[in-house]
Amino acid sequence: MLQQTSLDPKVVHAKARAGNLETFYYDNAIVRNFAFATIIWGVVGMLAGLWVALQLVFPTVLNLGPWLNFGRLRPLHTNAVIFAFVGNGIFMGYYYSLQRLLKTRMYSDKLSKIHFWGWQAIIVAAAITLPLGFTSGKEYAELEWPIDIAITVIWVVFGWNMFATILKRRERHLYVAVWFYIATFITVAVLHVVNSIELPVGFFKSYPVYAGVQDALVQWWYGHNAVAFFLTTPYLGLMYYFLPKAANRPVYSYKLSIIHFWALIFIYIWAGPHHLLYSALPNWAQSLGIVFSFTLIFPSWGGMINGLLTLRGAWDKVREDVVLKFMVVAVTAYGMATFEGPMLSLKSINAISHFTDWTIAHVHVGGLGWNGMLTFGILYWLIPKIFRTPLYSKKLASVHFWIATLGILFYAIPMYVAGFMQSSMWKEFTPSGQLKYSFLETVTFMKPFYAVRGFGGTLFVVGAIIMMYNLFKTVAQGKIVANEAAEAPALEKEYVKHQGEHWHRWIERRPTPLLVMTLIVILIGGAVEMIPTFMVKSNIPTIASVKPYTPLELQGRDIYVREGCYTCHSQMIRPFRSETERYGEYAKAGEFVYDHPFQWGSKRTGPDLSREGAGNNKKSDTWHFNHMDDPQSISTGSVMPSYSFLIDNKLDTSTTAAKIIAMQKLGVPYEKGYELVANQDLQKQAAEIAASLKKDNIQVKPDKEILAIIAYLQRLGTDIGKNKQTAQNN
């Protein structure tokens, strides 16, 4: 006869009476390390965000050189907040909760330490390389290939340690939080590897193997699901553990958690194309993205409802307990963001919101509200426990809560208004049929909104600094229990299914099938969207007039990517009258077949540049030179920083041959052996631009970076301008 499950309380108590408990020790030292990293990197990442926000208010005052320009620091801010602050917060929560849910110490202290120090080394590498301009130019995936490899190695170390811990557990049942932890590990691994397939050109330069439309699809499949499986699913796991602990209440609904989990991970993976609505992405892929994005509201709100209803009977505690206040605001912000996201995926709303500050508001409701506030709540709950001391000051924690909440409001509300105003001004025509506002007028109109946003960001950062002080004072008055003693009976080796037991229990007791099923579920959506886009040529029709970039244009494009120009400028004209009137012919899929990486952008702080070198948008070489040197002297009210350093920087032509060879390997049709003579063509084109500038009394040597960026900007849109013939399928 098989034994009863060890989940049966009678069995547990019987074992305890019989003296069959095993003694072991939880590793709190690794939790402390990740907690300290969360606090420190959180403040650093938020300060970087505040700096770039204020650069849009004081573009000349805060123009302190290329390393601190908006285009280089904005990726640093996003990476610091996502991977340093939130990433360390995830691992802090994982290492604390996983040991207690499984009733065992982590599988390997050594792997835990390698994970911690490896992750911090990656963050430091990002903090050094991004301001230096080493970037792949893909949002949330800017880090170059050596760091990508390091991320892969450390992620495997983390997963190995986590899964080995699950296998040696003393608790047969895998609690709901563990499901989310497993899904996060396997999905982030798949996303990172697929999106990071690159062809190295040098130690800190590579080109993605995907181009144009295909690169855009892969990037936003990754980008949206990085939000889903790095900023959402792990935090839902933390919510399912820490919210019930803080409230001293069980999770509201076990069945709802099952539906929530499987529906969420299946639907989320399809939603990436909603970032590319009205773009050159095939319509069928856009439609799939819309359907699944809208459907996401149901599992997302299932999680929010499960979290808030866990507090049933405990709302009186919320008035008194600052930890619960943070958590309630976090779950509410999650509900708001996951309602708004599906709404923004509808074409009629996306036509208004996309490329505007509305998207920035939406992202920060999730980032500041959901991730930030939940992290703060967990820190306030966890630090006193592992240091066995009361919180240094509940009053300061309460001050932090209110400052942070006000900070979110002062940040988000102006950005919602700004986004709506931007879109309205971009689309407005005069009675005679002319565009009513120049793009620059819409930029200057935004400055008051940016100033209020900066005030909100300041409040949020001040709150984080108050928290840092409060928690470090708490640490100083306590002493960490680095190895916390615990007891639990050994895991029963045999199990019998009881009559009436829920079918999902079988999965919950078997981590390997759970991992495999999760992998299958998340692969379906990506495969359905990407395989046809890559395999069926009619999805990406070529255009005969589109030619590869000249060597100088290719070098200029790489400078454009290095300076993060895509963070402010789009290169995707949507088929709206307002956009075709302002910029020119709407974008076609075949225009981008040689673009590694694509540069469609996601925010228009500056105008779209798709047709910058063609038609009515074409400006002289002299205009571009002066605009790069001193933007405000050419465009009064511009928030663009100066790029005068490009006039002094010497263009590194030693990389030209390697770049041409790399492009040839990626399918760009340069002639065989062209790499041997490419620099001759480069020098010839540079000399022509230098001669053009000389006519306007601008003396610049033909070996400077400014000439390469001018060449690239003057190329944009000329292929379509020369030949508007119908795309031909090859």
Side-chain angles (χ1 to χ4, degrees):
M1 192 77 172
L2 294 177
Q3 296 290 325
Q4 280 185 297
T5 172
S6 60
L7 294 174
D8 188 336
K10 294 180 180 178
V11 176
V12 175
H13 294 319
K15 286 179 175 290
R17 287 194 299 271
N20 291 331
L21 294 176
E22 296 177 349
T23 301
F24 55 95
Y25 297 88
Y26 295 133
D27 181 5
N28 285 338
I30 190 66
V31 178
R32 172 203 59 196
N33 293 345
F34 277 113
F36 286 179
T38 302
I39 296 166
I40 294 168
W41 288 121
V43 171
V44 170
M46 292 170 199
L47 283 172
L50 179 59
W51 179 268
V52 296
L54 292 176
Q55 283 186 323
L56 298 181
V57 183
F58 309 107
T60 54
V61 175
L62 298 182
N63 179 21
L64 303 180
W67 305 282
L68 296 176
N69 270 354
F70 184 94
R72 294 196 190 183
L73 284 190
R74 191 265 193 173
L76 177 64
H77 160 60
T78 56
N79 278 268
V81 170
I82 294 172
F83 300 110
F85 171 56
V86 173
N88 279 297
I90 291 168
F91 301 136
M92 166 191 70
Y94 268 38
Y95 279 102
Y96 184 87
S97 62
L98 198 64
Q99 296 180 80
R100 286 153 180 83
L101 289 170
L102 303 177
K103 295 185 170 61
T104 183
R105 190 181 182 90
M106 293 303 297
Y107 169 73
S108 169
D109 288 2
K110 183 177 289 187
L111 289 178
S112 298
K113 291 175 182 176
I114 292 172
H115 176 206
F116 174 76
W117 290 111
W119 196 256
Q120 309 319 309
I122 288 167
I123 294 167
V124 171
I128 294 171
T129 58
L130 290 174
L132 290 176
F134 299 120
T135 174
S136 67
K138 299 176 72 172
E139 288 194 69
Y140 314 139
E142 290 91 349
L143 302 181
E144 271 292 0
W145 67 270
I147 306 176
D148 282 340
I149 292 173
I151 292 170
T152 305
V153 171
I154 296 302
W155 194 255
V156 169
V157 167
F158 157 62
W160 178 9
N161 201 15
M162 179 183 75
F163 212 73
T165 303
I166 293 172
L167 293 178
K168 74 161 194 168
R169 67 195 185 281
R170 291 181 175 84
E171 178 63 71
R172 184 173 296 280
H173 172 255
L174 296 178
Y175 181 67
V176 57
V178 183
W179 315 344
F180 283 98
Y181 297 168
I182 291 173
T184 296
F185 165 70
I186 192 63
T187 310
V188 170
V190 171
L191 293 170
H192 175 69
V193 170
V194 172
N195 193 50
S196 300
I197 301 176
E198 301 151 339
L199 184 62
V201 178
F203 192 65
F204 278 110
K205 177 61 184 174
S206 64
Y207 294 120
V209 298
Y210 321 106
V213 172
Q214 294 164 344
D215 191 41
L217 177 61
V218 173
Q219 161 59 24
W220 283 113
W221 171 78
Y222 162 89
H224 183 79
N225 290 305
V227 172
F229 289 91
F230 203 87
L231 299 178
T232 303
T233 56
Y235 266 66
L236 287 169
L238 299 183
M239 179 199 77
Y240 273 115
Y241 180 82
F242 287 100
L243 182 60
K245 282 285 186 182
N248 196 25
R249 290 288 190 278
V251 170
Y252 170 69
S253 172
Y254 165 71
K255 289 185 178 180
L256 183 55
S257 68
I258 295 172
I259 298 169
H260 171 217
F261 173 74
W262 289 107
L264 191 77
I265 66 170
F266 173 72
I267 295 173
Y268 234 134
I269 209 77
W270 297 74
H274 80 233
H275 289 262
L276 303 169
L277 300 185
Y278 294 108
S279 73
L281 187 72
N283 280 329
W284 65 264
Q286 295 184 41
S287 298
L288 276 178
I290 293 169
V291 170
F292 283 93
S293 297
F294 185 76
T295 311
L296 259 178
I297 192 170
F298 302 108
S300 297
W301 272 44
M304 179 197 68
I305 291 167
N306 219 7
L308 291 179
L309 291 184
T310 296
L311 295 170
R312 69 199 187 288
W315 284 100
D316 56 319
K317 290 185 178 181
V318 176
R319 290 194 298 269
E320 306 296 330
D321 190 342
V322 71
V323 169
L324 288 178
K325 288 179 181 177
F326 276 106
M327 292 183 176
V328 166
V329 170
V331 176
T332 304
Y334 171 68
M336 293 170 61
T338 53
F339 173 79
E340 185 182 15
M343 296 301 106
L344 293 177
S345 71
L346 299 176
K347 275 196 165 184
S348 56
I349 299 178
N350 187 272
I352 300 170
S353 68
H354 195 53
F355 290 134
T356 75
D357 284 300
W358 185 341
T359 304
I360 306 302
H362 166 62
V363 168
H364 284 79
V365 167
L368 301 179
W370 167 232
N371 297 114
M373 299 297 266
L374 188 60
T375 303
F376 298 152
I378 292 171
L379 282 165
Y380 280 122
W381 184 87
L382 188 149
I383 292 290
K385 285 198 176 300
I386 64 175
F387 281 87
R388 297 289 171 88
T389 182
L391 183 64
Y392 171 72
S393 173
K394 291 183 179 180
K395 186 175 182 179
L396 281 178
S398 184
V399 169
H400 175 203
F401 169 77
W402 288 110
I403 287 179
T405 303
L406 287 173
I408 295 170
L409 295 175
F410 275 107
Y411 189 110
I413 293 173
M415 289 297 94
Y416 282 124
V417 176
F420 189 81
M421 292 301 299
Q422 278 171 324
S423 183
S424 300
M425 294 176 77
W426 292 345
K427 295 176 183 295
E428 191 164 354
F429 286 84
T430 64
S432 61
Q434 305 297 313
L435 286 166
K436 185 172 183 179
Y437 300 101
S438 70
F439 193 91
L440 188 57
E441 287 179 290
T442 71
V443 172
T444 56
F445 190 81
M446 292 301 111
K447 285 189 176 182
F449 299 101
Y450 290 154
V452 179
R453 185 259 299 268
F455 174 69
T458 301
L459 289 178
F460 203 83
V461 172
V462 169
I465 293 171
I466 291 172
M467 178 195 70
M468 176 187 282
Y469 172 80
N470 198 3
L471 290 180
F472 284 164
K473 292 291 285 185
T474 302
V475 168
Q477 72 184 15
K479 185 177 181 181
I480 188 171
V481 183
N483 297 286
E484 183 181 337
E487 289 183 329
L491 182 68
E492 280 292 306
K493 299 298 182 184
E494 297 177 319
Y495 171 76
V496 63
K497 187 177 187 300
H498 293 286
Q499 187 175 3
E501 186 178 60
H502 197 276
W503 63 270
H504 200 264
R505 289 282 184 181
W506 183 91
I507 301 171
E508 295 165 27
R509 284 186 292 272
R510 290 164 174 81
T512 303
L514 178 60
L515 183 144
V516 172
M517 288 179 65
T518 299
L519 178 61
I520 293 170
V521 166
I522 63 100
L523 286 178
I524 294 171
V528 170
E529 290 173 344
M530 284 192 282
I531 291 175
T533 307
F534 281 81
M535 302 301 291
V536 181
K537 280 197 170 184
S538 60
N539 281 305
I540 315 294
T542 57
I543 300 175
S545 60
V546 175
K547 305 297 182 185
Y549 295 105
T550 67
L552 186 63
E553 291 163 359
L554 181 62
Q555 291 280 16
R557 190 175 199 274
D558 287 343
I559 294 170
Y560 182 95
V561 171
R562 182 191 75 192
E563 299 305 326
C565 300
Y566 63 90
T567 62
C568 287
H569 297 282
S570 60
Q571 289 183 30
M572 174 51 59
I573 301 173
R574 298 174 293 178
F576 302 152
R577 180 191 168 205
S578 59
E579 296 203 7
T580 56
E581 286 287 329
R582 190 182 299 277
Y583 302 119
E585 188 81 3
Y586 70 88
K588 317 292 193 304
E591 293 182 55
F592 310 102
V593 291
Y594 304 133
D595 285 4
H596 300 265
F598 82 107
Q599 291 287 279
W600 295 359
S602 58
K603 169 73 167 65
R604 284 180 184 155
T605 303
D608 188 275
L609 300 180
S610 297
R611 306 283 179 256
E612 186 63 19
N616 296 330
N617 294 314
K618 184 174 178 62
K619 303 174 182 69
S620 68
D621 295 340
T622 298
W623 187 95
H624 283 297
F625 181 94
N626 290 329
H627 187 248
M628 286 287 180
D629 184 28
D630 185 2
Q632 284 72 33
S633 68
I634 301 299
S635 303
T636 304
S638 171
V639 295
M640 178 175 164
S642 169
Y643 288 90
S644 57
F645 58 88
L646 297 177
I647 301 171
D648 301 318
N649 286 359
K650 186 175 181 179
L651 181 64
D652 182 9
T653 58
S654 66
T655 61
T656 305
K659 290 179 178 181
I660 295 295
I661 292 171
M663 286 294 172
Q664 288 172 329
K665 291 179 179 178
L666 294 172
V668 180
Y670 291 109
E671 293 180 2
K672 186 176 181 180
Y674 182 65
E675 69 276 5
L676 301 176
V677 297
N679 271 330
Q680 295 176 23
D681 286 352
L682 181 151
Q683 291 162 4
K684 180 181 178 181
Q685 188 177 5
E688 290 172 355
I689 297 173
S692 170
L693 294 172
K694 190 174 182 179
K695 292 178 182 178
D696 291 320
N697 297 317
I698 297 174
Q699 302 289 337
V700 58
K701 293 181 179 180
D703 63 349
K704 300 301 181 182
E705 288 186 338
I706 187 69
L707 302 181
I709 196 78
I710 290 174
Y712 174 64
L713 292 172
Q714 294 288 37
R715 164 64 187 273
L716 293 175
T718 56
D719 292 324
I720 300 299
K722 290 175 184 175
N723 186 356
K724 295 183 180 179
Q725 68 181 10
T726 304
Q728 302 171 0
N729 292 337
N730 289 343

